[in-house]
Amino acid sequence: MALTCVLHPSYHLMTIVSSLLAFLTILTCLHCCGADYEVESVVGSGDLLSAKLKLVGGTAEFGPDVKRLNLTASLETENQLHVRITDADHPRWEVPQNVIPRPVPPPEHVLLDSSGMSNASMPGNSTMSSTSSDLTFTIHTAPFRFTVSRRSTGDVLFDTSATLVFKNRYLELTSALPAQRASLYGLGEQTKRTFRLQQNDTFTIWNEDLERSDLLDINLYSSHPFYMDVRPGGAAHGVLLLNTNGMDIKYGGSYITYKVIGGVLDFYFFAGPSPLAVVDQYTQLIGRPAPMPYWSFGFHQCRYGYKNVAELEGVVAGYAKAKIPLESIWSDIDYMNGYQDFTLDPVNYPANLLRPFVDRLHNNSQKYVVIIDPAIKKEAAPPKNEASDLFLQRNGTNYVGRVWPGEVYYPDFMSPRAAEYWARKISEFRRTIPADGLWCDMNEPSNFKAWEPLNEYDDSPYRINNTGVRRNLNNKTVPVSAVHFNGVSEYDAHNLYGLLESRATHDALLRDTARRPFVLSRATFVGSGRYTAHWTGDNAARWDELAHSINTILNFGLFGIPMMGADICGFNGNTTQELCSRWIQLGAFYPFARAHAEKTTVRRELYVWESTAQSARKALGMRYRLLPYTYTLMYEAHTTGSPIARPLFFSYPQDADTYGVDRQFLLGRGVLVSPVLEPGATTVDAYFPAGRWFSLFDHSAAITLQTGKRVTLQAPADSANVHLAGGNILPMQQPGLTTSAARQSEFHLLVALTENGTASGELFLDDGESPEMGALGGNWTLVRFSCNTEDSKGIITTTVSSHVVQNLYAPSRTPVIGKVVFMGLQSSPKSFTIYVNGAELKAARTKSRMNGVFSVSGLSLVIGQQFEIKVVMSH
């Protein structure tokens, strides 16, 4: 570590001017309750720095200021900087280590002992940097502020104002931003018109049960105070405020302001510099996304209002008759007795009818998923002498709320006893109905009951903009004066409830089945992706909602929750044939694809309209063909945090025109989805970055661009536009009505060449249900494919080869590649010869076209054995 008082020599003049202008702007935007702190002392050792701050000034608004603060900055990895500011004299609520395990900086006395530096006040600025890190931290002393910059370029990433507010239940901090150079993404959950944040956006962080279909820019079910900032040239970094308390975050273009109602200022900065590197570093901290079972990548059908088992049977039969893939059927609260968890309606869903139905699903390689809400009906709870530490408390007794079953208690998932109780109830229910997955709804947690204030927590001195009108924190939820295990207040822990229920549910399924769990949760927080998938909640059957779904799905990829989707065809309101057809053309490429609808709306199963059924067969047929690729993306997500659905700038960060694209998205690095999002449209205005792009539905339809540009695509009523970027090798299988059937088919490789004739890809295989995915010594196979082209005196040789990283997955039917398709070869060769592993292949059925598409079929290449295919052409 270096402690200096000089400006970094690599600061560019443009960076300095931009930062000064942004800083001047925020001076006019600061909250009126501003206070100043000055630096009393700074000590440092290695990659750690600590400072003592003393209040100078202050105001009475929102309560008295904390007089003394401690700041600790630490380079926890070469790409992760941790900056924490807290009360020097009193402990405060922070995210528990057993919820998000993370490095803990040593106390300040350890720094003092190791540094040999005095505890005297230090003049000027103090900088912490390391040759192994691109992040530099600087404390400015008069008055106090801090900056985080990129060592390699001098670009200032975070630059706080001189006004820091730190009260018991109100914290405020502002950072300047270069308005013309910063593109921000993230912060949620809200329904947004655009993926890139817009100037004067305000984000309220507070988990809330709202019907989101008519609400833009309003806090919804999840809380994620994380953003990614992409600067010109593609350099990206990430910023997390790890705090569970309610907050407002104002993005003003030239500044970002945090107004938080408790906890500490606990910032993490991630160096990137690529967008993929940022999410890799972020998920190293918060936890890698949970591996999802293979079957969960199929198509799912649900409806609130399936009246009985016979109706479920009819829906399954309807999909089979229409030859539309159906992986699982879901039950909303209709299956319950009086809407009580872990019960069955004795008339409409009796065990003697439901269990045989589920067994038939399993025999057909299909699945069954049921909803569970967190609240337990008061009369169904264990007796008082057995209920210690099971439920949330208020005023010394179990808090009584009201949701669908009537009066209820809320399990306290912070308590180990409550998690054990939850696991036992799940196991007991699965003895009757062996559900394959669990859907956690209403877990903000939702509450229909009116409340009376009990103490100061029930009315915070600063009201965050809850639901857009600054409603009380207790709106439609458990009162924040309720108390968790170990005396933790709901005021502090509210946003953790969904995460903790997801964890308890995930762990219960894992213990009960010894297989990879599938959990879907409505409420999430930082780190929820370790346990659960998510969906956008109660959307509406409207065209704008169809478009908005892309923004939310991309956001949750940034948040470390890649298994994400929206209710296809819309949940609330009546859909139309055209909207439903276009929605399945998009939804078939969501990472999580489920249709769901409210009980009073028109029926919208995909077979209801024949035109929609035709769209579904084509779009879902491609989804099932892409399963090997998508499942490999799940492996990448689990091991590196990379999103499955990605914005275009993840693959093309140097193309600034991709920064605002949010009506298209990529699956992985190279499959581009360009949906129809407006009624009556017969074309799509799609952006294509520079390079070659090949249609997955018509390999002969290719687009070649030297620079990125918009292209008008034809969009027939029954077809989606999906393209593969040159440079990718795509493993595919044949479509089936279930993922199990599709997995039995042979593999094809689709080789999309760049202009210089190169491409690469990979394939991950395992049984799709083992708890660990890609673990050391596990039974899995990973194969990497590469392609290169050489031109020697008019003889062009294109070679595809495989490299087997590991081959321990041994299914009963050996997986083989039966066909390889090349796109982008020379269009009209005089002659061609094919060699497989050095031997000329004469018996293969081959065909060549004038448009450069060339296929080699009749192969039987074992996936787990290395191979080489050469196509030699003369011209």
Side-chain angles (χ1 to χ4, degrees):
M1 183 187 76
L3 293 176
T4 67
C5 303
V6 297
L7 192 66
H8 195 286
S10 62
Y11 274 36
H12 299 310
L13 179 61
M14 182 181 70
T15 300
I16 298 170
V17 172
S18 177
S19 297
L20 287 174
L21 289 174
F23 184 70
L24 290 173
T25 301
I26 65 176
L27 291 179
T28 65
C29 303
L30 295 175
H31 195 277
C32 61
C33 69
D36 290 336
Y37 286 84
E38 67 179 16
V39 178
E40 286 189 302
S41 63
V42 179
V43 295
S45 175
D47 293 333
L48 295 169
L49 182 149
S50 179
K52 288 184 177 296
L53 311 180
K54 180 179 70 174
L55 179 70
V56 288
T59 68
E61 187 175 16
F62 305 144
D65 295 277
V66 174
K67 291 183 171 54
R68 298 190 330 118
L69 301 175
N70 280 344
L71 177 149
T72 304
S74 55
L75 280 168
E76 295 178 337
T77 72
E78 63 182 15
N79 296 308
Q80 178 178 303
L81 170 67
H82 182 197
V83 180
R84 175 175 171 270
I85 304 174
T86 188
D87 190 329
D89 300 312
H90 304 95
R92 294 180 63 84
W93 162 256
E94 301 183 49
V95 178
Q97 280 284 336
N98 67 352
V99 175
I100 301 179
R102 57 202 186 277
V104 179
E108 192 216 359
H109 71 269
V110 174
L111 282 173
L112 279 171
D113 293 342
S114 62
S115 68
M117 299 174 62
S118 68
N119 198 23
S121 179
M122 297 183 63
N125 303 334
S126 301
T127 296
M128 180 180 70
S129 64
S130 169
T131 56
S132 65
S133 175
D134 202 24
L135 295 175
T136 296
F137 175 82
T138 302
I139 287 182
H140 306 262
T141 58
F144 162 74
R145 63 187 182 93
F146 72 83
T147 56
V148 178
S149 57
R150 194 177 290 283
R151 189 171 61 88
S152 59
T153 64
D155 196 12
V156 178
L157 311 182
F158 203 78
D159 184 0
T160 67
S161 72
T163 300
L164 166 66
V165 181
F166 205 113
K167 301 170 184 284
N168 183 36
R169 288 196 289 151
Y170 183 77
L171 289 65
E172 182 179 323
L173 181 141
T174 295
S175 170
L177 291 169
Q180 303 305 314
R181 298 191 305 111
S183 292
L184 268 63
Y185 309 86
L187 302 177
E189 178 182 12
Q190 296 188 356
T191 302
K192 306 295 292 183
R193 292 180 179 87
T194 62
F195 177 45
R196 181 163 54 182
L197 308 192
Q198 300 300 305
Q199 185 169 330
N200 296 321
D201 274 352
T202 296
F203 298 84
T204 296
I205 305 295
W206 186 255
N207 289 3
E208 181 77 8
D209 173 14
L210 287 176
E211 286 199 1
R212 55 165 297 282
S213 56
D214 292 315
L215 301 172
L216 285 170
D217 308 322
I218 303 298
N219 56 297
L220 294 172
Y221 317 108
S222 299
S223 291
H224 294 272
F226 169 80
Y227 71 82
M228 179 184 292
D229 183 345
V230 182
R231 303 284 171 90
H237 66 274
V239 179
L240 167 69
L241 174 56
L242 186 58
N243 184 304
T244 62
N245 290 89
M247 68 183 78
D248 286 334
I249 304 175
K250 175 67 177 293
Y251 171 58
S254 60
Y255 67 92
I256 186 167
T257 296
Y258 297 84
K259 300 179 179 182
V260 193
I261 60 172
V264 302
L265 294 173
D266 202 13
F267 284 98
Y268 290 84
F269 301 90
F270 306 95
S274 70
L276 276 173
V278 172
V279 292
D280 182 9
Q281 295 151 16
Y282 180 50
T283 55
Q284 283 183 55
L285 173 71
I286 67 170
R288 298 297 198 193
M292 295 290 153
Y294 200 96
W295 64 265
S296 67
F297 289 94
F299 174 73
H300 311 267
Q301 177 64 52
C302 184
R303 180 180 174 87
Y304 175 29
Y306 286 145
K307 297 187 296 292
N308 51 41
V309 175
E311 193 160 4
L312 295 182
E313 290 176 325
V315 172
V316 174
Y319 273 93
K321 182 178 179 181
K323 292 183 168 41
I324 299 172
L326 178 67
E327 190 69 19
S328 71
I329 189 82
W330 293 42
S331 283
D332 208 311
I333 57 176
D334 313 280
Y335 79 93
M336 299 175 178
N337 183 16
Y339 304 133
Q340 297 181 64
D341 281 348
F342 312 117
T343 67
L344 297 176
D345 181 329
V347 175
N348 296 306
Y349 285 87
N352 67 331
L353 294 180
L354 184 57
R355 177 60 185 261
F357 167 71
V358 174
D359 290 343
R360 289 193 293 274
L361 286 176
H362 291 164
N363 289 337
N364 195 41
S365 299
Q366 292 172 302
K367 308 296 181 182
Y368 184 55
V369 180
V370 298
I371 195 172
I372 52 174
D373 293 337
I376 299 296
K377 188 174 177 64
K378 183 179 176 182
E379 291 77 12
K384 188 174 182 179
N385 63 334
E386 299 177 14
S388 176
D389 294 333
L390 289 187
F391 302 107
L392 291 181
Q393 303 283 298
R394 191 171 191 244
N395 204 20
T397 188
N398 289 347
Y399 170 71
V400 180
R402 180 177 295 276
V403 280
W404 302 118
E407 290 194 329
V408 294
Y409 295 149
Y410 291 84
D412 176 10
F413 292 107
M414 278 194 163
S415 167
R417 290 198 70 241
E420 179 63 33
Y421 163 78
W422 194 248
R424 185 171 67 253
K425 298 298 290 185
I426 288 172
S427 181
E428 291 170 355
F429 179 77
R430 291 194 72 260
R431 301 287 75 74
T432 304
I433 302 298
D436 300 283
L438 293 174
W439 166 22
C440 299
D441 198 21
M442 306 286 286
N443 56 347
E444 294 72 32
S446 183
N447 181 21
F448 304 159
K449 188 175 183 178
W451 52 270
E452 294 294 333
L454 177 66
N455 57 35
E456 63 177 3
Y457 287 115
D458 285 315
D459 193 11
S460 178
Y462 171 76
R463 285 203 169 190
I464 61 174
N465 195 28
N466 191 23
T467 72
V469 292
R470 301 196 182 279
R471 284 181 179 161
N472 190 281
L473 296 177
N474 293 329
N475 181 66
K476 286 194 71 177
T477 192
V478 169
V480 294
S481 52
V483 179
H484 291 260
F485 181 67
N486 280 342
V488 174
S489 73
E490 174 69 3
Y491 180 90
D492 290 324
H494 169 81
N495 287 336
L496 286 177
Y497 196 88
L499 182 156
L500 295 172
E501 188 203 13
S502 299
R503 181 175 71 177
T505 306
H506 175 278
D507 292 351
L509 281 174
L510 179 59
R511 186 169 75 178
D512 196 55
T513 67
R515 296 194 299 270
R516 194 177 303 171
F518 176 77
V519 178
L520 179 71
S521 177
R522 189 168 77 174
T524 67
F525 183 69
V526 173
S528 283
R530 286 177 294 163
Y531 310 110
T532 186
H534 181 60
W535 89 109
T536 65
D538 295 345
N539 63 357
R542 296 200 314 259
W543 289 92
D544 61 329
E545 287 282 271
L546 171 66
H548 294 155
S549 70
I550 297 175
N551 300 326
T552 307
I553 288 167
L554 293 179
N555 251 353
F556 275 82
L558 302 185
F559 299 154
I561 307 179
M563 193 61 164
M564 178 70 188
D567 288 343
I568 294 170
C569 297
F571 177 76
N572 285 312
N574 289 328
T575 193
T576 65
Q577 171 271 321
E578 182 189 12
L579 175 58
C580 202
S581 295
R582 292 304 193 187
W583 210 317
I584 188 57
Q585 291 168 20
L586 168 60
F589 302 99
Y590 291 157
F592 170 61
R594 182 188 71 162
H596 183 36
E598 197 271 331
K599 63 181 179 180
T600 64
T601 62
V602 298
R603 296 297 286 263
R604 61 198 65 180
E605 289 80 12
L606 298 181
Y607 53 77
V608 170
W609 295 288
E610 177 51 36
S611 56
T612 301
Q614 177 64 17
S615 291
R617 283 188 287 267
K618 291 183 72 171
L620 289 174
M622 182 58 70
R623 178 185 182 86
Y624 278 60
R625 291 197 69 200
L626 288 171
L627 281 172
Y629 175 70
T630 309
Y631 191 66
T632 300
L633 295 178
M634 178 73 257
Y635 165 72
E636 291 180 14
H638 179 56
T639 53
T640 71
S642 59
I644 295 173
R646 306 174 189 175
L648 273 66
F649 67 76
F650 266 57
S651 290
Y652 302 91
Q654 294 184 325
D655 182 352
D657 288 336
T658 65
Y659 296 1
V661 174
D662 55 14
R663 296 170 71 85
Q664 302 164 261
F665 62 92
L666 290 166
L667 287 176
R669 70 178 189 181
V671 174
L672 178 63
V673 182
S674 306
V676 171
L677 302 174
E678 296 172 348
T682 58
T683 60
V684 173
D685 181 32
Y687 184 80
F688 285 86
R692 286 174 159 182
W693 296 89
F694 303 90
S695 170
L696 283 185
F697 287 96
D698 179 3
H699 299 164
S700 65
I703 298 168
T704 302
L705 302 169
Q706 297 304 311
T707 60
K709 65 178 291 186
R710 292 200 164 271
V711 177
T712 299
L713 304 173
Q714 295 302 307
D718 66 347
S719 298
N721 275 289
V722 186
H723 290 79
L724 178 63
N728 288 274
I729 298 178
L730 200 62
M732 306 176 78
Q733 285 181 281
Q734 307 316 297
L737 297 183
T738 64
T739 61
S740 176
R743 291 201 83 179
Q744 302 306 308
S745 63
E746 71 175 17
F747 284 82
H748 291 178
L749 288 186
L750 200 56
V751 182
L753 300 175
T754 61
E755 289 195 29
N756 64 7
T758 61
S760 63
E762 65 180 27
L763 172 65
F764 178 87
L765 295 173
D766 66 4
D767 62 10
E769 64 176 18
S770 294
E772 295 296 329
M773 188 180 199
L776 185 65
N779 295 324
W780 49 271
T781 291
L782 178 63
V783 181
R784 295 197 172 108
F785 306 106
S786 62
C787 180
N788 62 77
T789 300
E790 297 178 351
D791 188 343
S792 176
K793 298 180 180 180
I795 305 298
I796 299 175
T797 302
T798 299
T799 304
V800 173
S801 59
S802 69
H803 169 65
V804 179
V805 178
Q806 176 170 305
N807 183 35
L808 294 179
Y809 172 56
S812 57
R813 180 172 179 172
T814 302
V816 297
I817 297 169
K819 184 177 182 181
V820 178
V821 177
F822 295 86
M823 299 186 296
L825 287 174
Q826 177 195 2
S827 59
S828 54
K830 291 181 180 178
S831 64
F832 61 85
T833 307
I834 303 163
Y835 299 90
V836 176
N837 294 327
E840 182 177 350
L841 187 65
K842 297 181 178 180
R845 300 182 300 276
T846 64
K847 55 184 177 181
S848 178
R849 299 176 182 171
M850 296 295 291
N851 52 29
V853 178
F854 181 87
S855 65
V856 183
S857 56
L859 303 171
S860 186
L861 301 172
V862 176
I863 290 284
Q865 298 176 8
Q866 294 188 178
F867 65 82
E868 180 183 81
I869 299 176
K870 288 183 181 289
V871 178
V872 181
M873 300 182 296
S874 63
H875 59 88

